Amino acid sequence: MTPALTDLSSAELSELRSHLAAEYDALVARGLSLDITRGKPSPAQLDLSNELLSLPGDGDYKDAAGTDLRNYGGAQGVPELRSIFSDAFRVPVPQLLALGNASLTVMHDVVVHALLHGLPESERPWSKEQTVTFLCPVPGYDRHFAINEHLGIRMVPVAMTDAGPDIAEVERLLAEDPSIKGIWCVPVHSNPTGAIYTEEVARALVSLPAAADFRIFWDNAYAVHHLTDDVPAPIDILKLAEEAGHPDRVFVFGSTSKVTYAGSGVSFFGSSPANVSWYLGHTAVQSIGPDKINQLRHVRLLRDPQGLTDHMLKHREIIGPKFQAVQEVFERRLAPYGAGSWTNPTGGYFVSLDVRDGCAARAIALAAQAGIKVTPAGSTHPYGKDPRDANIRIAPTMPPLAELVEALEGLCTAILLAELEKLVAPPLVE
Amino acid sequence: MTPALTDLSSAELSELRSHLAAEYDALVARGLSLDITRGKPSPAQLDLSNELLSLPGDGDYKDAAGTDLRNYGGAQGVPELRSIFSDAFRVPVPQLLALGNASLTVMHDVVVHALLHGLPESERPWSKEQTVTFLCPVPGYDRHFAINEHLGIRMVPVAMTDAGPDIAEVERLLAEDPSIKGIWCVPVHSNPTGAIYTEEVARALVSLPAAADFRIFWDNAYAVHHLTDDVPAPIDILKLAEEAGHPDRVFVFGSTSKVTYAGSGVSFFGSSPANVSWYLGHTAVQSIGPDKINQLRHVRLLRDPQGLTDHMLKHREIIGPKFQAVQEVFERRLAPYGAGSWTNPTGGYFVSLDVRDGCAARAIALAAQAGIKVTPAGSTHPYGKDPRDANIRIAPTMPPLAELVEALEGLCTAILLAELEKLVAPPLVE
């Protein structure tokens, strides 16, 4: 068995260093151009929805109630599509809106409405508060954090566990800081760790004392994106919130971006009746209704909840082997040296890898010099700053399997080199 | 020839009153349900774009450069679609963005970005100013005014002329009020008068001294929506602004909402390179790109600028007779009594009708009691308040021709009754 880096003698470290340096030089010499930065579906996955290119089809432009979907109106979206997704999101159809092509836009706009107008319970618009703070479970989703940063909302990191954010920490922070108005949650196959919130954590989140206009931004981006047969039971977060006496605490978001087409899907917003009214009141001046023909297209493609489940199984067939490859390469290349620890998600789009403290940025820079683009270090943390400089987000879905493996192999070389540098100064490669 | 109402003797007024009251009672008795409230395209117009229901078609999902349009990205929109519309909007392709399904959303969001962040030249975000004021040419578009009202932006009306807003008034207001940061303009076939801005007016708007972050919201909603062969030459507003030394003064908006499908079209934003960067900087946190497959659909449908022109001629064939009917009914029913004055637009979606001062709301209420829904009185003015209570917006496109004529006939009865009431108190109908 290979000894861990920390168990090596100075001579052994030196020998390994020479070996890895040579390997790295060979890697650079190959002039690769590989990219595992973003959680994008691959062309093969997009192909699964190619019926969309000719749907809904000639003469098909009315919903079941006979409404002409080509015209203005219908701010709540096409009822049939909301029915298909109601169960997956555990939001009753009347409280589930089908909207435009990006849940990111809905999340951004909800924060903007809160800033400019406040929530129904707000004493004043959030922009009139001295400070507005969001709790940010880390590692987390960079685009959530970008919304906060861009809109001047203070971010406080909270540690993620396998069961969701550290509830004791959330409780302590909520108790001591009344400026906390929100928390970002990706409850199923969390970005990037793959953690699945337990019902216990969810119940705590909706129950803890907090500001009256505190909101859980429940971004259920991977609600149906499973990689194994071990499918978690959906959490009825709205019902839990109601039972906890905080019926208006939760905003549910979701989309078909990783179900159908990443750029041409449908987003969803679900919440309590009061919050849905609040949302629609603000969007009424912003829009005369979403693209309902695209929603009808999705109804025709997916048909019903079973159709959605079947469709997601085809994604699993394509991306499952890629996630397995991540485990295989890290097991083979990193584990023997005790380098790195990583998650093994049962769904979603990412693997979260932790390397030795202080080594993530260096490893990613080394990989970049060898033509392997990885998500920038720190991007899973607020303000792009990972205090330990340890977390690397792996996005395996986009590249073909062979390219993915090649990129991961190169990244492992870079990681081992970076970790060796930490143990044996000076840096091997400038 | 029928004498004007004001020329009638007391006995003649009384006789006419009885006659109209009987006519109105008969109208009410018919139990009509007609709606000419909104500028919506009719089903026959929507049918013109039904190829969209099966476009872009099997296997067609790349742009000319080979980009897979199904995935994330492409914040600027599909280049080929921007090429088709570049000439109509007189915006160079690199400065013209193709976006989501609603220009209203783009306009709203631009104001929101200005409120939360300011324009590049702003001393502070607009929301940190004591007062932000927009000039609102009246009569104008109610949804423009709704954005202002909802976002707390003060509105100051400016009189419209046949050539655009009264420039002397605009100049005076800009000179005396530094809080003026914007003006709403619908430069071609203006909503609702149909006025077409002259190049002289446009040149004045871009030239007048104003706040550094003053913006012209140039909503070119009806750029290609002509009803006659008398097609106005497009105004190159960005070039005029550059020549006037204010290259960043203009935001151009447009959409295909009344070209293809009202709910499933594509919107456009055009401006100077600096403004386009500013806009993209803010939308980068809001969206990972527009629905590019829908943009490709539009490329396949319209093909090129000539295809767009040809397509709009088919709309003209359908709605031209409806606009003629408005003229015919008003000429026959109102003109003989000297009642009402109305525009005769050469394009766009509306006819603006002025009745006797103080009679618009009453006429619309009388029509509503007879089952004829007309846009609420005042809706063409800021805060829904028409100080003269005279303007009525006629939207003739949606109903079938026969229903339109029926609605207009009923409205004319209501108008004549309302005007008679003004001349002969007490009201004839409660």
Side-chain angles (χ1 to χ4, degrees):
Chain A
M1 192 185 149
T2 315
L5 293 184
T6 44
D7 296 338
L8 294 179
S9 69
S10 171
E12 286 168 329
L13 278 174
S14 184
E15 192 193 321
L16 182 58
R17 183 173 69 164
S18 306
H19 171 72
L20 281 169
E23 191 176 300
Y24 181 74
D25 289 345
L27 187 71
V28 172
R30 289 175 61 200
L32 296 174
S33 178
L34 301 171
D35 189 331
I36 52 168
T37 50
R38 303 278 350 156
K40 291 164 82 166
S42 65
Q45 289 178 270
L46 297 168
D47 284 346
L48 296 175
S49 303
N50 274 354
E51 282 180 59
L52 289 178
L53 296 170
S54 45
L55 283 174
D58 193 31
D60 186 6
Y61 51 79
K62 292 187 176 174
D63 66 10
T67 305
D68 187 336
L69 302 175
R70 301 171 300 178
N71 223 320
Y72 290 114
Q76 303 187 314
V78 174
E80 291 91 313
L81 187 65
R82 293 151 63 203
S83 289
I84 293 175
F85 282 85
S86 171
D87 193 56
F89 294 129
R90 283 286 192 275
V91 178
V93 174
Q95 291 162 241
L96 184 65
L97 309 179
L99 301 165
N101 79 321
S103 57
L104 187 73
T105 302
V106 184
M107 291 184 257
H108 171 275
D109 288 1
V110 163
V111 177
V112 163
H113 299 324
L115 281 167
L116 293 174
H117 307 284
L119 275 307
E121 313 86 348
S122 299
E123 283 175 35
R124 57 190 76 83
W126 286 3
S127 61
K128 304 284 184 198
E129 299 283 352
Q130 200 105 41
T131 310
V132 173
T133 304
F134 269 45
L135 298 180
C136 299
V138 289
Y141 178 33
D142 55 350
R143 293 191 191 272
H144 288 164
F145 304 155
I147 288 173
N148 283 350
E149 188 167 2
H150 194 71
L151 297 173
I153 291 171
R154 180 172 159 257
M155 291 182 270
V156 171
V158 174
M160 271 295 280
T161 75
D162 289 346
D166 179 332
I167 284 298
E169 209 178 327
V170 171
E171 182 170 15
R172 183 182 60 77
L173 289 162
L174 282 174
E176 75 190 19
D177 185 352
S179 82
I180 296 171
K181 301 287 192 186
I183 182 170
W184 291 108
C185 297
V186 182
V188 179
H189 309 310
S190 194
N191 175 351
T193 69
I196 297 167
Y197 285 41
T198 60
E199 189 162 311
E200 191 185 349
V201 163
R203 202 181 286 278
L205 286 171
V206 296
S207 303
L208 291 172
D213 56 353
F214 170 72
R215 289 292 184 274
I216 297 165
F217 286 68
W218 191 258
D219 181 6
N220 212 341
Y222 310 108
V224 293
H225 306 60
H226 313 301
L227 288 168
T228 72
D229 292 332
D230 185 18
V231 171
I235 292 176
D236 194 337
I237 189 73
L238 294 179
K239 186 161 155 249
L240 294 184
E242 206 178 326
E243 287 170 4
H246 301 127
D248 301 320
R249 184 175 281 195
V250 186
F251 292 143
V252 177
F253 305 94
S255 81
T256 70
S257 293
K258 279 143 185 160
V259 174
T260 59
Y261 286 168
S264 301
V266 177
S267 62
F268 297 92
F269 174 73
S271 196
S272 66
N275 283 336
V276 169
S277 292
W278 171 85
Y279 178 79
L280 288 173
H282 293 302
T283 53
V285 298
Q286 186 183 19
S287 164
I288 321 178
D291 182 344
K292 301 177 298 301
I293 291 293
N294 200 39
Q295 298 186 359
L296 184 65
R297 232 170 246 130
H298 280 71
V299 172
R300 296 296 179 252
L301 176 75
L302 299 171
R303 292 191 180 85
D304 52 35
Q306 185 59 49
L308 171 61
T309 302
D310 295 345
H311 189 82
M312 295 314 294
L313 279 176
K314 296 180 205 160
H315 280 285
R316 172 180 158 184
E317 279 171 30
I318 295 171
I319 64 175
K322 297 183 182 182
F323 279 83
Q324 284 158 22
V326 176
Q327 301 299 318
E328 189 276 321
V329 173
F330 287 172
E331 275 300 332
R332 177 165 47 75
R333 295 290 313 278
L334 300 180
Y337 297 103
S341 63
W342 55 92
T343 59
N344 187 6
T346 60
Y349 261 63
F350 302 102
V351 172
S352 179
L353 167 68
D354 280 330
V355 297
R356 185 178 299 276
D357 284 12
C359 292
R362 177 67 181 154
I364 288 167
L366 284 169
Q369 283 177 45
I372 300 164
K373 273 201 206 164
V374 180
T375 314
S379 66
T380 55
H381 284 66
Y383 310 106
K385 289 193 182 111
D386 172 5
R388 287 175 47 205
D389 184 24
N391 190 247
I392 299 177
R393 186 182 79 171
I394 307 294
T397 56
M398 179 69 177
L401 186 59
E403 277 186 30
L404 171 67
V405 170
E406 201 167 20
L408 292 168
E409 295 273 6
L411 176 62
C412 285
T413 301
I415 288 168
L416 291 172
L417 257 184
E419 296 209 357
L420 266 178
E421 285 178 4
K422 262 275 169 237
L423 297 167
V424 194
L428 298 170
V429 180
E430 276 308 326
Chain B
M1 191 184 151
T2 315
L5 292 183
T6 44
D7 295 339
L8 294 177
S9 68
S10 170
E12 286 167 328
L13 277 175
S14 184
E15 193 193 322
L16 181 59
R17 182 174 68 164
S18 307
H19 170 72
L20 281 170
E23 192 175 298
Y24 182 74
D25 288 345
L27 187 71
V28 172
R30 288 176 60 200
L32 296 175
S33 177
L34 301 170
D35 189 331
I36 52 169
T37 51
R38 303 279 348 158
K40 291 165 81 165
S42 65
Q45 290 178 269
L46 296 168
D47 285 346
L48 296 175
S49 302
N50 274 355
E51 282 180 60
L52 289 178
L53 296 170
S54 45
L55 283 174
D58 193 29
D60 186 5
Y61 52 78
K62 293 187 176 175
D63 67 9
T67 305
D68 188 336
L69 302 175
R70 301 170 300 178
N71 223 320
Y72 289 115
Q76 303 187 312
V78 174
E80 291 91 314
L81 186 65
R82 294 150 63 203
S83 289
I84 294 175
F85 282 85
S86 172
D87 193 56
F89 294 129
R90 283 287 191 275
V91 178
V93 174
Q95 291 161 240
L96 184 65
L97 308 179
L99 301 165
N101 80 320
S103 57
L104 187 73
T105 303
V106 185
M107 291 184 258
H108 171 275
D109 288 1
V110 162
V111 177
V112 163
H113 300 323
L115 281 168
L116 292 174
H117 308 283
L119 276 307
E121 314 86 348
S122 299
E123 284 175 34
R124 58 191 75 83
W126 286 4
S127 61
K128 305 284 184 196
E129 300 283 352
Q130 201 104 40
T131 310
V132 173
T133 304
F134 269 45
L135 298 181
C136 299
V138 290
Y141 178 34
D142 54 351
R143 292 191 191 272
H144 288 164
F145 304 155
I147 288 173
N148 283 351
E149 187 167 1
H150 194 71
L151 297 173
I153 291 171
R154 179 172 159 258
M155 292 182 270
V156 171
V158 174
M160 271 295 281
T161 75
D162 289 346
D166 180 331
I167 285 297
E169 209 176 329
V170 171
E171 181 170 13
R172 182 181 61 76
L173 289 162
L174 282 175
E176 75 189 20
D177 184 353
S179 82
I180 297 171
K181 301 287 193 186
I183 182 170
W184 292 108
C185 297
V186 181
V188 179
H189 309 311
S190 195
N191 175 350
T193 68
I196 297 167
Y197 284 41
T198 59
E199 188 162 310
E200 192 185 348
V201 163
R203 202 181 286 278
L205 286 171
V206 295
S207 303
L208 291 172
D213 55 352
F214 170 73
R215 290 291 185 275
I216 298 165
F217 286 67
W218 191 257
D219 181 5
N220 212 341
Y222 310 108
V224 293
H225 306 60
H226 312 300
L227 289 168
T228 72
D229 293 332
D230 186 17
V231 171
I235 292 176
D236 193 337
I237 189 74
L238 294 179
K239 186 161 156 251
L240 293 184
E242 207 179 325
E243 287 170 3
H246 301 126
D248 302 319
R249 184 175 280 193
V250 186
F251 292 143
V252 177
F253 305 94
S255 82
T256 70
S257 293
K258 279 144 186 161
V259 174
T260 59
Y261 287 167
S264 302
V266 177
S267 62
F268 297 91
F269 174 73
S271 195
S272 66
N275 283 336
V276 169
S277 294
W278 172 84
Y279 177 78
L280 288 174
H282 293 302
T283 53
V285 299
Q286 186 183 20
S287 163
I288 322 179
D291 182 344
K292 300 178 298 300
I293 291 292
N294 200 37
Q295 297 187 359
L296 184 65
R297 230 170 246 131
H298 280 71
V299 172
R300 298 295 180 252
L301 176 76
L302 299 171
R303 292 191 180 84
D304 53 35
Q306 185 59 48
L308 172 61
T309 303
D310 295 346
H311 189 82
M312 295 314 295
L313 279 175
K314 296 179 204 159
H315 280 285
R316 171 179 159 186
E317 279 170 30
I318 295 170
I319 64 176
K322 297 183 182 182
F323 280 84
Q324 285 159 22
V326 177
Q327 301 299 316
E328 188 278 320
V329 173
F330 287 172
E331 275 301 330
R332 177 165 47 76
R333 294 291 312 278
L334 300 180
Y337 296 104
S341 63
W342 54 93
T343 58
N344 186 6
T346 60
Y349 261 62
F350 301 102
V351 172
S352 180
L353 167 67
D354 279 329
V355 297
R356 185 177 299 276
D357 285 10
C359 291
R362 177 68 182 153
I364 288 167
L366 284 169
Q369 284 177 45
I372 301 163
K373 273 201 207 166
V374 180
T375 315
S379 65
T380 55
H381 284 65
Y383 310 105
K385 290 195 181 108
D386 172 4
R388 286 176 47 203
D389 183 24
N391 189 247
I392 298 176
R393 186 182 80 171
I394 307 294
T397 56
M398 179 70 177
L401 186 59
E403 278 186 28
L404 171 68
V405 170
E406 201 167 21
L408 292 169
E409 295 273 7
L411 176 62
C412 285
T413 301
I415 288 168
L416 291 172
L417 258 183
E419 296 209 358
L420 265 179
E421 285 178 4
K422 261 278 171 231
L423 297 167
V424 194
L428 298 170
V429 181
E430 276 309 326

mmCIF file of all heavy atoms in Angstrom, chain B residues 18-42:
data_model
loop_
_atom_site.group_PDB
_atom_site.id
_atom_site.type_symbol
_atom_site.label_atom_id
_atom_site.label_comp_id
_atom_site.label_asym_id
_atom_site.label_seq_id
_atom_site.Cartn_x
_atom_site.Cartn_y
_atom_site.Cartn_z
ATOM 1 N N SER B 18 -83.889 61.484 -25.807
ATOM 2 C CA SER B 18 -84.869 60.393 -25.771
ATOM 3 C C SER B 18 -84.486 59.307 -26.764
ATOM 4 O O SER B 18 -84.521 58.108 -26.459
ATOM 5 C CB SER B 18 -86.266 60.908 -26.130
ATOM 6 O OG SER B 18 -86.598 61.996 -25.327
ATOM 7 N N HIS B 19 -84.120 59.757 -27.944
ATOM 8 C CA HIS B 19 -83.760 58.817 -28.994
ATOM 9 C C HIS B 19 -82.570 57.950 -28.558
ATOM 10 O O HIS B 19 -82.597 56.710 -28.679
ATOM 11 C CB HIS B 19 -83.430 59.604 -30.262
ATOM 12 C CG HIS B 19 -82.820 58.765 -31.344
ATOM 13 N ND1 HIS B 19 -83.562 57.836 -32.061
ATOM 14 C CD2 HIS B 19 -81.549 58.674 -31.810
ATOM 15 C CE1 HIS B 19 -82.769 57.222 -32.918
ATOM 16 N NE2 HIS B 19 -81.538 57.714 -32.797
ATOM 17 N N LEU B 20 -81.520 58.590 -28.015
ATOM 18 C CA LEU B 20 -80.311 57.865 -27.613
ATOM 19 C C LEU B 20 -80.575 56.979 -26.406
ATOM 20 O O LEU B 20 -80.028 55.874 -26.306
ATOM 21 C CB LEU B 20 -79.183 58.847 -27.296
ATOM 22 C CG LEU B 20 -78.455 59.423 -28.512
ATOM 23 C CD1 LEU B 20 -77.546 60.562 -28.077
ATOM 24 C CD2 LEU B 20 -77.652 58.346 -29.237
ATOM 25 N N ALA B 21 -81.410 57.469 -25.507
ATOM 26 C CA ALA B 21 -81.734 56.672 -24.323
ATOM 27 C C ALA B 21 -82.425 55.381 -24.741
ATOM 28 O O ALA B 21 -82.121 54.299 -24.214
ATOM 29 C CB ALA B 21 -82.615 57.469 -23.370
ATOM 30 N N ALA B 22 -83.313 55.482 -25.696
ATOM 31 C CA ALA B 22 -83.991 54.281 -26.201
ATOM 32 C C ALA B 22 -82.986 53.344 -26.862
ATOM 33 O O ALA B 22 -83.003 52.119 -26.665
ATOM 34 C CB ALA B 22 -85.083 54.677 -27.198
ATOM 35 N N GLU B 23 -82.104 53.951 -27.649
ATOM 36 C CA GLU B 23 -81.074 53.162 -28.334
ATOM 37 C C GLU B 23 -80.182 52.453 -27.311
ATOM 38 O O GLU B 23 -79.833 51.282 -27.480
ATOM 39 C CB GLU B 23 -80.237 54.099 -29.209
ATOM 40 C CG GLU B 23 -79.320 53.389 -30.184
ATOM 41 C CD GLU B 23 -78.621 54.407 -31.094
ATOM 42 O OE1 GLU B 23 -79.325 55.115 -31.835
ATOM 43 O OE2 GLU B 23 -77.385 54.500 -31.020
ATOM 44 N N TYR B 24 -79.854 53.191 -26.250
ATOM 45 C CA TYR B 24 -78.978 52.621 -25.218
ATOM 46 C C TYR B 24 -79.683 51.494 -24.469
ATOM 47 O O TYR B 24 -79.095 50.437 -24.222
ATOM 48 C CB TYR B 24 -78.538 53.710 -24.235
ATOM 49 C CG TYR B 24 -77.594 53.200 -23.156
ATOM 50 C CD1 TYR B 24 -76.260 52.903 -23.448
ATOM 51 C CD2 TYR B 24 -78.051 52.983 -21.858
ATOM 52 C CE1 TYR B 24 -75.407 52.420 -22.471
ATOM 53 C CE2 TYR B 24 -77.204 52.499 -20.868
ATOM 54 C CZ TYR B 24 -75.879 52.222 -21.182
ATOM 55 O OH TYR B 24 -75.034 51.736 -20.231
ATOM 56 N N ASP B 25 -80.963 51.692 -24.161
ATOM 57 C CA ASP B 25 -81.726 50.636 -23.477
ATOM 58 C C ASP B 25 -81.743 49.363 -24.327
ATOM 59 O O ASP B 25 -81.589 48.257 -23.809
ATOM 60 C CB ASP B 25 -83.162 51.100 -23.205
ATOM 61 C CG ASP B 25 -83.201 52.160 -22.105
ATOM 62 O OD1 ASP B 25 -82.182 52.295 -21.386
ATOM 63 O OD2 ASP B 25 -84.229 52.855 -21.989
ATOM 64 N N ALA B 26 -81.920 49.546 -25.611
ATOM 65 C CA ALA B 26 -81.938 48.394 -26.519
ATOM 66 C C ALA B 26 -80.573 47.699 -26.515
ATOM 67 O O ALA B 26 -80.473 46.467 -26.546
ATOM 68 C CB ALA B 26 -82.301 48.840 -27.928
ATOM 69 N N LEU B 27 -79.521 48.526 -26.452
ATOM 70 C CA LEU B 27 -78.152 47.998 -26.425
ATOM 71 C C LEU B 27 -77.931 47.144 -25.181
ATOM 72 O O LEU B 27 -77.449 46.010 -25.261
ATOM 73 C CB LEU B 27 -77.175 49.176 -26.456
ATOM 74 C CG LEU B 27 -75.677 48.867 -26.591
ATOM 75 C CD1 LEU B 27 -75.361 48.361 -27.991
ATOM 76 C CD2 LEU B 27 -74.855 50.116 -26.287
ATOM 77 N N VAL B 28 -78.324 47.702 -24.041
ATOM 78 C CA VAL B 28 -78.160 46.972 -22.778
ATOM 79 C C VAL B 28 -78.943 45.655 -22.823
ATOM 80 O O VAL B 28 -78.464 44.607 -22.387
ATOM 81 C CB VAL B 28 -78.617 47.835 -21.581
ATOM 82 C CG1 VAL B 28 -78.624 47.013 -20.290
ATOM 83 C CG2 VAL B 28 -77.706 49.059 -21.435
ATOM 84 N N ALA B 29 -80.142 45.749 -23.397
ATOM 85 C CA ALA B 29 -81.024 44.580 -23.446
ATOM 86 C C ALA B 29 -80.389 43.437 -24.243
ATOM 87 O O ALA B 29 -80.717 42.267 -24.031
ATOM 88 C CB ALA B 29 -82.373 44.964 -24.043
ATOM 89 N N ARG B 30 -79.475 43.763 -25.146
ATOM 90 C CA ARG B 30 -78.878 42.708 -25.978
ATOM 91 C C ARG B 30 -77.895 41.846 -25.199
ATOM 92 O O ARG B 30 -77.498 40.779 -25.652
ATOM 93 C CB ARG B 30 -78.186 43.334 -27.194
ATOM 94 C CG ARG B 30 -79.198 43.879 -28.204
ATOM 95 C CD ARG B 30 -78.512 44.586 -29.360
ATOM 96 N NE ARG B 30 -77.620 43.693 -30.089
ATOM 97 C CZ ARG B 30 -76.634 44.099 -30.881
ATOM 98 N NH1 ARG B 30 -76.414 45.405 -31.018
ATOM 99 N NH2 ARG B 30 -75.884 43.235 -31.503
ATOM 100 N N GLY B 31 -77.478 42.337 -24.032
ATOM 101 C CA GLY B 31 -76.577 41.523 -23.198
ATOM 102 C C GLY B 31 -75.268 41.174 -23.885
ATOM 103 O O GLY B 31 -74.823 40.028 -23.862
ATOM 104 N N LEU B 32 -74.668 42.158 -24.520
ATOM 105 C CA LEU B 32 -73.415 41.917 -25.230
ATOM 106 C C LEU B 32 -72.284 41.560 -24.268
ATOM 107 O O LEU B 32 -72.356 41.838 -23.071
ATOM 108 C CB LEU B 32 -73.004 43.178 -26.011
ATOM 109 C CG LEU B 32 -73.945 43.619 -27.138
ATOM 110 C CD1 LEU B 32 -73.467 44.938 -27.720
ATOM 111 C CD2 LEU B 32 -74.004 42.537 -28.212
ATOM 112 N N SER B 33 -71.234 40.951 -24.807
ATOM 113 C CA SER B 33 -70.004 40.739 -24.052
ATOM 114 C C SER B 33 -68.851 40.945 -25.023
ATOM 115 O O SER B 33 -68.389 40.009 -25.668
ATOM 116 C CB SER B 33 -69.980 39.334 -23.444
ATOM 117 O OG SER B 33 -68.751 39.145 -22.778
ATOM 118 N N LEU B 34 -68.449 42.186 -25.145
ATOM 119 C CA LEU B 34 -67.413 42.554 -26.122
ATOM 120 C C LEU B 34 -66.255 43.202 -25.390
ATOM 121 O O LEU B 34 -66.432 43.806 -24.337
ATOM 122 C CB LEU B 34 -67.994 43.529 -27.153
ATOM 123 C CG LEU B 34 -69.202 43.007 -27.954
ATOM 124 C CD1 LEU B 34 -69.831 44.132 -28.765
ATOM 125 C CD2 LEU B 34 -68.777 41.863 -28.875
ATOM 126 N N ASP B 35 -65.062 43.081 -25.948
ATOM 127 C CA ASP B 35 -63.867 43.545 -25.254
ATOM 128 C C ASP B 35 -62.913 44.191 -26.258
ATOM 129 O O ASP B 35 -62.381 43.516 -27.134
ATOM 130 C CB ASP B 35 -63.197 42.333 -24.575
ATOM 131 C CG ASP B 35 -62.064 42.736 -23.636
ATOM 132 O OD1 ASP B 35 -61.432 43.783 -23.882
ATOM 133 O OD2 ASP B 35 -61.818 41.998 -22.669
ATOM 134 N N ILE B 36 -62.720 45.498 -26.134
ATOM 135 C CA ILE B 36 -61.713 46.152 -26.981
ATOM 136 C C ILE B 36 -60.691 46.873 -26.083
ATOM 137 O O ILE B 36 -60.208 47.957 -26.389
ATOM 138 C CB ILE B 36 -62.344 47.128 -28.010
ATOM 139 C CG1 ILE B 36 -63.293 48.130 -27.327
ATOM 140 C CG2 ILE B 36 -63.080 46.377 -29.089
ATOM 141 C CD1 ILE B 36 -63.723 49.276 -28.265
ATOM 142 N N THR B 37 -60.345 46.204 -24.963
ATOM 143 C CA THR B 37 -59.485 46.865 -23.973
ATOM 144 C C THR B 37 -58.003 46.869 -24.339
ATOM 145 O O THR B 37 -57.324 47.861 -24.122
ATOM 146 C CB THR B 37 -59.587 46.181 -22.603
ATOM 147 O OG1 THR B 37 -59.387 44.784 -22.773
ATOM 148 C CG2 THR B 37 -60.929 46.437 -21.962
ATOM 149 N N ARG B 38 -57.486 45.730 -24.841
ATOM 150 C CA ARG B 38 -56.038 45.630 -24.930
ATOM 151 C C ARG B 38 -55.557 45.434 -26.364
ATOM 152 O O ARG B 38 -56.254 44.883 -27.200
ATOM 153 C CB ARG B 38 -55.503 44.443 -24.098
ATOM 154 C CG ARG B 38 -55.854 44.434 -22.646
ATOM 155 C CD ARG B 38 -55.041 45.281 -21.666
ATOM 156 N NE ARG B 38 -53.805 45.870 -22.047
ATOM 157 C CZ ARG B 38 -53.274 46.938 -21.417
ATOM 158 N NH1 ARG B 38 -53.904 47.504 -20.386
ATOM 159 N NH2 ARG B 38 -52.140 47.446 -21.786
ATOM 160 N N GLY B 39 -54.331 45.869 -26.598
ATOM 161 C CA GLY B 39 -53.727 45.731 -27.907
ATOM 162 C C GLY B 39 -53.176 44.335 -28.125
ATOM 163 O O GLY B 39 -51.968 44.146 -28.144
ATOM 164 N N LYS B 40 -54.067 43.381 -28.267
ATOM 165 C CA LYS B 40 -53.634 41.999 -28.475
ATOM 166 C C LYS B 40 -53.827 41.603 -29.931
ATOM 167 O O LYS B 40 -54.833 41.980 -30.549
ATOM 168 C CB LYS B 40 -54.466 41.058 -27.587
ATOM 169 C CG LYS B 40 -54.190 41.205 -26.104
ATOM 170 C CD LYS B 40 -55.263 40.554 -25.251
ATOM 171 C CE LYS B 40 -55.072 39.064 -25.121
ATOM 172 N NZ LYS B 40 -55.910 38.524 -23.996
ATOM 173 N N PRO B 41 -52.917 40.839 -30.482
ATOM 174 C CA PRO B 41 -53.148 40.336 -31.837
ATOM 175 C C PRO B 41 -54.296 39.321 -31.834
ATOM 176 O O PRO B 41 -54.525 38.628 -30.843
ATOM 177 C CB PRO B 41 -51.827 39.666 -32.207
ATOM 178 C CG PRO B 41 -51.088 39.455 -30.931
ATOM 179 C CD PRO B 41 -51.609 40.432 -29.933
ATOM 180 N N SER B 42 -55.009 39.263 -32.930
ATOM 181 C CA SER B 42 -56.126 38.325 -33.054
ATOM 182 C C SER B 42 -55.603 36.937 -33.399
ATOM 183 O O SER B 42 -54.471 36.790 -33.867
ATOM 184 C CB SER B 42 -57.056 38.802 -34.162
ATOM 185 O OG SER B 42 -56.374 38.747 -35.409
#
